[in-house]
Amino acid sequence: MWFIETVVLSCIITLGWTLMFSVPKRYILPCLLMTACGFGLKTALVYQHVHLVVASFFGAMLASFLGVYFSKKYTLPPKALISPSVICMMPGIAAYKAMVSMVQIGYFGFSDELFSQMMVYLFEALFVTSGLVLGLSIPGLLFYRRRAIV
């Protein structure tokens, strides 16, 4: 039940971003489907104790492959469909906790515990974002390459 709840909430987030990006109405459903598949895969992998960075990579890659498929089907640029559907995977909580730890260091003074906490959250946010970027770039490298790989 919690899995369906989190996927539905991520689709609500995507719905808001599609409205902000002015995605035409007939393309909102493919964006929601891409979000449900990508975020669902990420959530299922995290539940199976796969590291968050790896799970985010595969979730973004699945959403990006679906975005390439839907962009060819509807003759749209793929970024118009992919961008709103991957935003819900951004590491907002880790980045927020890193910033709070940084502010606490400034307010309470330096301590090793706060600094290590800040660095853990900072690197978690950086690596998850890097995993998302790599996952988004894989289908573009495979399908939109003009020269041969070898």
Side-chain angles (χ1 to χ4, degrees), residues 88-120:
C88 62
M89 290 190 239
M90 294 300 282
I93 293 173
Y96 174 76
K97 287 182 178 181
M99 291 302 294
V100 166
S101 299
M102 191 181 303
V103 168
Q104 285 178 342
I105 288 173
Y107 186 74
F108 296 119
F110 181 81
S111 73
D112 289 334
E113 181 181 328
L114 277 176
F115 184 74
S116 68
Q117 180 182 3
M118 178 192 71
M119 294 307 284
V120 165

Side-chain angles (χ1 to χ4, degrees), residues 22-114:
S22 300
V23 175
K25 289 181 185 178
R26 63 179 184 245
Y27 304 128
I28 291 177
L29 190 61
C31 285
L32 295 179
L33 181 65
M34 290 165 39
T35 298
C37 292
F39 190 81
L41 178 65
K42 176 194 160 213
T43 305
L45 288 175
V46 168
Y47 183 71
Q48 295 297 322
H49 305 292
V50 175
H51 196 274
L52 180 62
V53 175
V54 176
S56 297
F57 169 75
F58 283 115
M61 191 168 62
L62 177 63
S64 188
F65 274 119
L66 287 173
V68 168
Y69 169 74
F70 286 129
S71 70
K72 288 183 187 286
K73 183 177 180 180
Y74 297 119
T75 62
L76 278 174
K79 300 300 179 203
L81 294 172
I82 295 171
S83 299
S85 64
V86 178
I87 288 179
C88 62
M89 290 190 239
M90 294 300 282
I93 293 173
Y96 174 76
K97 287 182 178 181
M99 291 302 294
V100 166
S101 299
M102 191 181 303
V103 168
Q104 285 178 342
I105 288 173
Y107 186 74
F108 296 119
F110 181 81
S111 73
D112 289 334
E113 181 181 328
L114 277 176

